[in-house]
Amino acid sequence: MIDAKLPTSLDGPRTLRSRAERDRRKTLLREPHIAPLTEFADMLRSADVAVPYFDPLDGGNAARMLFLFEKPGPMTDPEGGSGFISRNNDDATAEAAFHFMRQAGIDRKDTILWNVIPGWNKTIRIAKGELEQGRLALNALFTLLPRLRIVVLVGRKAAQVQANIEQRGLKVFVSHHPSPKVRAIYRDKWESIPGVWAVARQALEHTTPK
């Protein structure tokens, strides 16, 4: 869990556009709640794939809810972006996720964000084999989240791993993706997202904590 004595960080839409805020969060990456996940991201990273760090303002290894998106975008890349997977990133999807989390009444300390395809390789296209590699990484991630109870699959690609996750005894919810494209073309689907997330939060209240 996040120690109250840690430096105060800005928590708002697009706050990671600030270099000072990005640098501040990097100083937190070795804190106990996030250090195992930092090592996990480091392990997955390669010369061709930028795997973002988990945001230390989230719950880390104490998280009870995993929001599993599809694939990182350019704003997660340390070159030109934040280097984090975060609701505070400087893009429209992250901004929508920030507001939808607040609207659903979700406590940030209960959550962690990840993508079924863990790394950004300069394209939004998902190549053959990436999804299977993502499944393997996801299996490894689960071993680092002992308190996990709820998984919210965000988008169609994420929904493809639903059966794998349910086999672990975790409760799964599926929502649409809060991207500008969904908002522009399927406004009703976009507006349904916080409702699904609120139901997931309510389910968490009725789970037995470890």
Side-chain angles (χ1 to χ4, degrees), residues 14 16 25 35 37 52 57 84 101 113 116 122 139 152 165 178 199 210:
R14 300 181 183 255
L16 284 176
R25 293 199 199 182
L37 299 172
L57 293 197
F84 293 95
M101 293 274 189
L113 278 58
V116 67
K122 309 301 182 184
N139 289 337
V152 181
I165 296 172
V199 171
K210 277 191 178 180

Side-chain angles (χ1 to χ4, degrees), residues 13-209:
R14 300 181 183 255
T15 50
L16 284 176
R17 71 174 59 173
S18 163
R19 180 175 181 177
E21 182 58 20
R22 297 194 300 270
D23 289 344
R24 186 178 296 118
R25 293 199 199 182
K26 289 175 185 176
T27 68
L28 305 179
L29 285 173
R30 300 299 170 182
E31 292 297 325
H33 75 290
I34 206 74
L37 299 172
T38 298
E39 294 172 5
F40 174 72
D42 284 337
M43 178 186 69
L44 294 176
R45 195 169 295 119
S46 71
D48 300 321
V49 179
V51 177
Y53 285 123
F54 295 84
D55 193 325
L57 293 197
D58 292 343
N61 61 8
R64 299 189 295 159
M65 299 181 74
L66 168 64
F67 283 79
L68 188 65
F69 291 76
E70 295 182 332
K71 185 174 182 177
M75 286 297 101
T76 67
D77 193 329
E79 296 183 8
S82 70
F84 293 95
I85 175 170
S86 175
R87 71 198 71 189
N88 305 122
N89 274 338
D90 189 16
D91 63 76
T93 296
E95 182 175 8
F98 178 90
H99 289 301
F100 285 164
M101 293 274 189
R102 290 283 180 93
Q103 192 174 335
I106 296 169
D107 186 338
R108 183 165 190 162
K109 295 188 298 294
D110 276 329
T111 69
I112 196 167
L113 278 58
W114 188 241
N115 289 283
V116 67
I117 308 299
W120 169 246
N121 57 353
K122 309 301 182 184
T123 176
I124 61 173
R125 186 177 65 87
I126 296 178
K128 183 178 180 181
E130 276 191 286
L131 186 59
E132 184 55 36
Q133 292 173 2
R135 290 179 199 267
L136 295 175
L138 187 60
N139 289 337
L141 176 61
F142 283 137
T143 67
L144 303 176
L145 302 174
R147 299 188 64 202
L148 190 64
R149 293 293 176 272
I150 304 286
V151 179
V152 181
L153 302 174
V154 185
R156 289 181 298 171
K157 292 297 183 182
Q160 293 184 34
V161 300
Q162 181 171 357
N164 304 65
I165 296 172
E166 288 176 335
Q167 290 174 359
R168 293 179 168 272
L170 298 167
K171 193 165 185 61
V172 177
F173 295 84
V174 180
S175 82
H176 296 289
H177 196 282
S179 68
K181 181 178 179 179
V182 173
R183 181 178 184 177
I185 302 175
Y186 309 106
R187 187 57 181 259
D188 56 334
K189 295 180 179 179
W190 193 82
E191 292 179 347
S192 75
I193 294 170
V196 175
W197 293 5
V199 171
R201 188 262 304 163
Q202 292 163 8
L204 181 65
E205 295 174 356
H206 297 92
T207 62
T208 302

